[in-house]
Amino acid sequence: MREKNIHPVFEQVVQKERKEKFLQQKAHTLWLTGLSGSGKTTLGIAIEQELLKKGFLTQILDGDNIRSGINNNLKFTRKARTENIRRISEVTKLFLDCGIITINCFISPNEKIRSLAKDIIGRENFIEIHVNASLETCEKRDVKGLYKKARLGLISNFTGISSPFEPPKNPEITVNTGELTVENSVKQVLDYVLPKIKYI
Ligand code: ADP
């Protein structure tokens, strides 16, 4: 609900189209969803490097970074996860309005949460990428040692162990990181994304 004494100036701000022209790119959100350890951050960083080489300006928004800053007061309950995604989506929108391509690395474990993100960001800007690796693979990787802790009951609401992960129903891309190299995963994403972000 909008506060009565707030007067947004959306119309007076330089429009997204002019900024996209300035940057010679079309702003989109690459939304990477998947289990912890599935490869969202690894892939996000590698995608950013490739895009930068090709002249695209991007911004990575990553779960752990966001949770240590703007969202450091949020836990992992269903309600807090929803608020986490709502704030992230609003921040994403600011980047998009600036013509910047965002790479969002968030577990975002269910349709409801991803749908909220799509509604805020705009479905036309949203490229849903399922970073897909089995729970077994992610647990074997255990990059941050979190699965071990979750199995010991030291972390509550841990996705895949004590909290569900609903795979997206119709993602634009599914990257099987359990089978592909990082390089081939990046290639798969870029083959789809490049035509969409090119300025024509
Ligand atoms: P997340 O951000 O989803 O929690 P991370 O990127 O932190 O996951 O960890 C993923 C791990 O999987 C890394 O150690 C990475 O090297 C490894 N990995 C193996 N194959 C791939 C791939 N194709 N894409 C991304 N990561 C991969």
Side-chain angles (χ1 to χ4, degrees):
M1 213 197 342
R2 186 172 289 167
E3 160 68 42
K4 205 167 70 196
N5 295 322
I6 289 180
H7 302 279
V9 288
F10 298 126
E11 326 67 49
Q12 297 158 48
V13 175
V14 176
Q15 281 169 354
K16 182 185 176 200
E17 289 70 27
R18 278 181 64 193
K19 293 183 178 171
E20 287 182 325
K21 188 172 181 208
F22 177 81
L23 292 169
Q24 290 290 295
Q25 64 185 31
K26 287 280 186 188
H28 279 81
T29 290
L30 280 53
W31 188 282
L32 279 62
T33 172
L35 291 169
S36 174
S38 60
K40 301 179 295 299
T41 303
T42 307
L43 212 49
I45 291 169
I47 291 168
E48 174 164 74
Q49 281 169 358
E50 279 309 303
L51 288 179
L52 201 57
K53 271 193 228 161
K54 294 182 190 302
F56 294 97
L57 182 61
T58 56
Q59 176 66 41
I60 292 186
L61 296 164
D62 184 88
D64 284 352
N65 293 357
I66 296 273
R67 279 189 175 275
S68 63
I70 188 173
N71 286 356
N72 68 4
N73 60 335
L74 298 178
K75 301 218 158 41
F76 287 88
T77 61
R78 219 179 157 87
K79 201 172 156 206
R81 283 180 193 257
T82 304
E83 177 59 9
N84 183 42
I85 295 298
R86 188 192 69 78
R87 286 187 206 166
I88 284 156
S89 304
E90 291 290 350
V91 170
T92 300
K93 213 165 77 170
L94 294 175
F95 278 105
L96 290 183
D97 284 347
C98 201
I100 294 167
I101 296 151
T102 71
I103 302 169
N104 297 40
C105 308
F106 298 98
I107 297 175
S108 42
N110 57 59
E111 285 295 343
K112 202 173 164 203
I113 265 181
R114 291 184 298 262
S115 189
L116 171 70
K118 288 175 200 173
D119 286 344
I120 294 172
I121 291 167
R123 286 172 194 254
E124 67 285 5
N125 299 316
F126 198 99
I127 301 173
E128 189 170 56
I129 303 170
H130 182 197
V131 182
N132 185 33
S134 67
L135 177 63
E136 197 191 354
T137 300
C138 296
E139 197 164 356
K140 213 182 281 167
R141 287 177 182 162
D142 208 4
V143 194
K144 302 163 198 157
L146 297 177
Y147 282 97
K148 198 171 170 200
K149 283 191 190 165
R151 288 287 184 199
L152 291 169
L154 301 174
I155 309 175
S156 52
N157 297 314
F158 193 76
T159 308
I161 307 287
S162 46
S163 184
F165 180 79
E166 283 172 20
K169 289 203 183 86
N170 277 312
E172 273 77 12
I173 315 169
T174 299
V175 190
N176 291 316
T177 63
E179 291 147 29
L180 294 175
T181 60
V182 175
E183 199 186 3
N184 284 337
S185 304
V186 173
K187 186 174 179 317
Q188 190 193 347
V189 173
L190 290 194
D191 283 349
Y192 182 89
V193 164
L194 282 175
K196 298 208 176 275
I197 59 174
K198 271 195 180 132
Y199 193 85
I200 18 167

